Amino acid sequence: MSGSSPADRYLAAQSARAHPLTSAFADAQRFSLDPFQIAGCQALEDGRSVLVAAPTGAGKTIVGEFAMHLAMREPDAKAFYTTPMKALSNQKFRELVEVYGPDEVGLLTGDTNINGNARIVVMTTEVLRNMLYADSPALRGLQYVVMDEVHYLADRFRGAVWEEVIIHLHHSVRMVALSATVSNAEEFGDWLDTVRGDTAVVVSEIRPVPLEQHVLVRGDLLPLFDDRAGVATARVNQELMRLRSPHGPRSDRDHRSQGHRSGGEREAHRSRRRDRNGPRPGGMPRMERLDRPDVVGLLSRANLLPAIFFIFSRAGCDGAVQQLRRSGIRLTTPEERDEIRAVVERRTRSLAEEDLAVLGFWEWRENLERGVAAHHAGLLPAFKEVVEELFQRKLVKVVFATETLALGINMPARTVVLEKLEKFNGEARVAITSGEYTQLTGRAGRRGIDVEGHAVIQWTEALDPQAVAALASRRTYPLNSSFRPTYNMAVNLIDRFGRERAREVLESSFAQFQADRSVVGLARQVRDKEQTLEGYARSMTCDRGDFAEYSGIRRELSDLEKINRNDRTVPARVRQRRQDEMAQLRRRMQRHPCHGCPDREHHARWAERYWRLRRDVDKLRQQIDTRTGTVARVFDRVVDVLAALEYVRIDDDGTTAITPAGATMRRIYGERDLLVAEALRRGLWTDLDPAGMAALACSLVYEPRREGDGPGEYGLPRGAFRTALSATQELWAVLDDLERDHQLPGSEPVATGLAGAMHSWARGAMLDRVLVEADMAAGDFVRWAKQTIDLLDQLSLVADGPVARTARAALEAVRRGIVSYSGV
């Protein structure tokens, strides 16, 4: 702070005195906290919730760690740290154990349960959502919840879980929402403030380590932006623009560089360039593209390793590693190779010897010892964790990764290389967005190690420097809600709140907030006022009778008397009718048991407040009903489907309650909640053995990467499995029609592409056979096996006895070998 003014230093000192806990926490860190980190911590110390939106690698999690610190200062307080992925949860668990010790930290990720009653528990967001719906005892004493990577709320499949948690957490719980830089952080913060109460919004656009952007042209790293033009103008480097021009890639740079060569050297250089580049149409030379080993060598000489190369295909990542291997490249010292071998041995000792060859273990380890690795979803989780640890320890120097690496795993590099600026989205090749570009290049620059990070774009014939510059300088990454009511959500909300209150809860969603911001504020007012109404109702309770009924009669009589006094122009017969009504109301009032209560007028004062507030609430409800109500309308359609199938019962007065079948559905989570619940109720799976149950559960969770994946019906198990599958598919068709009849989108057909392989695995088949049968990488098979286990676990808890026992046996049969590995 030596460069700051006396006034700034005075303000900082004042702020530190007002926030002693933040100051002490900051002093204990290895590096000075940035202003946005201090602001986030101070908001928590002030008793507020906080949204922190900052670039990847900026150090947002320090604010979440301060929440853990605050919780541990109080004897009985708890804090939960939620993440979107099991790998992130495992990583955070290890970090927090280092700080607070193994007795104080727990981990819950669906397939791992370690010390779940600890005061600090790391978990996936789904685990917390399930806790909230079950009103778990573990929620007692909860004071802080950190929601890391909260921008996952936009995820099409899982985003609704984040909103459910944010809406249902008790208002006394302080929330720390950590997000990547989004362009509508203020809007999201406004919604949090509306549904959670006082929430500070802390936004930082500043990267802690500046990012230098380069384009790799032949063997030269050219700046993307022209430094001479000044940062504010962000003008594209004119040399790149000349390379793009129709006059070809010959530039002033060629003339300048050749000016330093002798005549013979210049001719040799021109000859080599002609030979390598070859002619292009029109006589223009083709632009040379360096091979990957040459690029790695260039980065190594320029001291720009470690580096992450983002390649948007798994095969491309594996092929790149092979390319470096064939080139003979070695980036490690003998001492580093010994250290790598020790880490690999420690992390993989639980893997069966017979599986190692199937997994390509020996070649993978040799590549690691060269300092090179791939990282993608097809890799075995154990292998991915080894790559992450070795990269963090600077032992692996080059990682070829798909974009999944950009989603939160702590693997910062000095340099990020993008070979292409487009990727296959499942249907076509599309350009990456500015948000994706920011997320990918956000990995470049290690705080406390690098003075600057480097992003390198490889030149291609189609590259437009202006488009790259626009991509690099734009910050359009809006956070849009993907919230939609599900059947499981509907029965849980109806069970907890009743249908009308459930609609109000849904009106509080970020989806509705974005559709019509004012509805959320109105719904919050209704909820708050209804809580006050409950208090007024308790205060006017009379031991002689229903005082609300009695006060209603008094109020009706008072209103008629007022109308009668003020409106003397009505015909005599109308006045007489009013008189008769008032006389009847007086008789009812005098006969009411509460009329003789000695505390009648004390109760009546509370009743008057109650009716005044009731009228305000009714007006607010009318306003809500006239607004968009899009989310609530979808909820009504979901409830209608549930009513048609008798998961809920709707009485003549509109009162809605869940049935015993609805109570079962409360504990079934996932995309197939309705299909699973209905199949259980109809007894479609009672004849399955454990392997058949595993195969069927797999068919319900599996999502093929391409249409038509899998062996077809000829590769499927026969007997009871085929009968159960056929009945399940017929049921899916019936439910799909029912959903579409109620203007709901329906669901994808049951996917059997992995059923045969999962059946074989559950029967004890060897890994090599199963992977051939599955026709997929080991990492993919493990991921689907773990999702199968999640569903089998639910079935073992909610199904009737025989099916539950079969599901538990199926779970144990699947959870073996590489599937049972846990990195914690």
Side-chain angles (χ1 to χ4, degrees), residues 464-486:
D464 179 0
Q466 291 280 22
V468 178
L471 202 62
S473 56
R474 205 162 45 231
R475 289 291 177 268
T476 52
Y477 185 43
L479 182 60
N480 292 315
S481 172
S482 61
F483 185 84
R484 59 183 176 82
T486 65

Side-chain angles (χ1 to χ4, degrees), residues 18-30:
H19 299 93
L21 299 180
T22 299
S23 296
F25 179 75
D27 290 344
Q29 302 307 308
R30 296 191 313 276

Side-chain angles (χ1 to χ4, degrees), residues 117-137:
N117 293 316
R119 291 181 56 200
I120 294 174
V121 185
V122 184
M123 62 186 70
T124 50
T125 317
E126 280 86 352
V127 169
L128 178 52
R129 186 270 311 272
N130 299 353
M131 277 186 180
L132 289 167
Y133 279 153
D135 197 20
S136 167

Side-chain angles (χ1 to χ4, degrees), residues 786-805:
K786 290 200 170 187
Q787 291 199 31
T788 300
I789 286 171
D790 284 346
L791 177 54
L792 290 170
D793 188 42
Q794 291 181 45
L795 294 177
S796 74
L797 297 173
V798 303
D800 291 336
V803 174
R805 286 191 291 274

Side-chain angles (χ1 to χ4, degrees), residues 388-405:
E388 289 158 15
E389 180 178 344
L390 293 176
F391 195 78
Q392 287 164 13
R393 290 171 61 171
K394 304 177 220 166
L395 295 169
V396 162
K397 319 293 183 179
V398 173
V399 168
F400 296 97
T402 55
E403 70 268 35
T404 54
L405 178 62

Side-chain angles (χ1 to χ4, degrees), residues 628-699:
T628 53
T630 51
V631 176
R633 279 201 295 274
V634 174
F635 172 72
D636 287 339
R637 293 170 195 156
V638 166
V639 173
D640 288 342
V641 170
L642 290 169
L645 295 168
E646 299 181 349
Y647 286 92
V648 299
R649 184 185 64 251
I650 304 176
D651 296 336
D652 293 339
D653 63 358
T655 303
T656 305
I658 67 170
T659 64
T664 298
M665 185 183 279
R666 279 191 60 219
R667 294 187 291 161
I668 299 172
Y669 301 96
E671 292 286 308
R672 303 282 193 184
D673 48 6
L674 183 62
L675 181 59
V676 170
E678 193 65 3
L680 287 178
R681 187 164 65 161
R682 297 187 185 201
L684 302 187
W685 303 337
T686 51
D687 296 331
L688 289 170
D689 63 4
M693 182 70 80
L696 199 103
C698 176
S699 300

Side-chain angles (χ1 to χ4, degrees), residues 481-522:
S481 172
S482 61
F483 185 84
R484 59 183 176 82
T486 65
Y487 298 106
N488 169 274
M489 187 192 303
V491 292
N492 272 292
L493 290 176
I494 289 168
D495 190 48
R496 286 186 70 190
F497 305 119
R499 183 171 183 172
E500 283 310 306
R501 178 77 193 285
R503 290 177 101 257
E504 288 161 15
V505 167
L506 295 173
E507 295 284 10
S508 300
S509 66
F510 188 44
Q512 187 60 60
F513 188 79
Q514 291 189 306
D516 180 357
R517 291 183 64 164
S518 61
V519 168
V520 177
L522 294 172

Side-chain angles (χ1 to χ4, degrees), residues 365-528:
R365 189 179 69 180
E366 187 189 332
N367 291 333
L368 290 176
E369 290 177 18
R370 291 175 179 273
V372 180
H375 188 289
H376 54 70
L379 211 59
L380 194 70
F383 287 12
K384 275 200 292 191
E385 288 174 18
V386 170
V387 172
E388 289 158 15
E389 180 178 344
L390 293 176
F391 195 78
Q392 287 164 13
R393 290 171 61 171
K394 304 177 220 166
L395 295 169
V396 162
K397 319 293 183 179
V398 173
V399 168
F400 296 97
T402 55
E403 70 268 35
T404 54
L405 178 62
L407 301 175
I409 294 290
N410 181 25
M411 276 183 68
R414 176 164 294 169
T415 304
V416 162
V417 180
L418 298 179
E419 294 190 348
K420 293 179 181 173
L421 295 176
E422 60 177 25
K423 63 176 185 176
F424 186 69
N425 67 358
E427 296 174 2
R429 297 206 71 81
V430 295
I432 64 172
T433 65
S434 58
E436 288 168 330
Y437 182 91
T438 302
Q439 191 85 348
L440 295 168
T441 57
R443 293 275 152 213
R446 299 163 300 175
R447 185 170 185 152
I449 301 172
D450 298 321
V451 177
E452 60 198 13
H454 299 267
V456 176
I457 314 300
Q458 284 202 263
W459 179 274
T460 64
E461 294 292 316
L463 191 77
D464 179 0
Q466 291 280 22
V468 178
L471 202 62
S473 56
R474 205 162 45 231
R475 289 291 177 268
T476 52
Y477 185 43
L479 182 60
N480 292 315
S481 172
S482 61
F483 185 84
R484 59 183 176 82
T486 65
Y487 298 106
N488 169 274
M489 187 192 303
V491 292
N492 272 292
L493 290 176
I494 289 168
D495 190 48
R496 286 186 70 190
F497 305 119
R499 183 171 183 172
E500 283 310 306
R501 178 77 193 285
R503 290 177 101 257
E504 288 161 15
V505 167
L506 295 173
E507 295 284 10
S508 300
S509 66
F510 188 44
Q512 187 60 60
F513 188 79
Q514 291 189 306
D516 180 357
R517 291 183 64 164
S518 61
V519 168
V520 177
L522 294 172
R524 171 76 185 267
Q525 287 181 54
V526 167
R527 285 210 310 281
D528 290 347

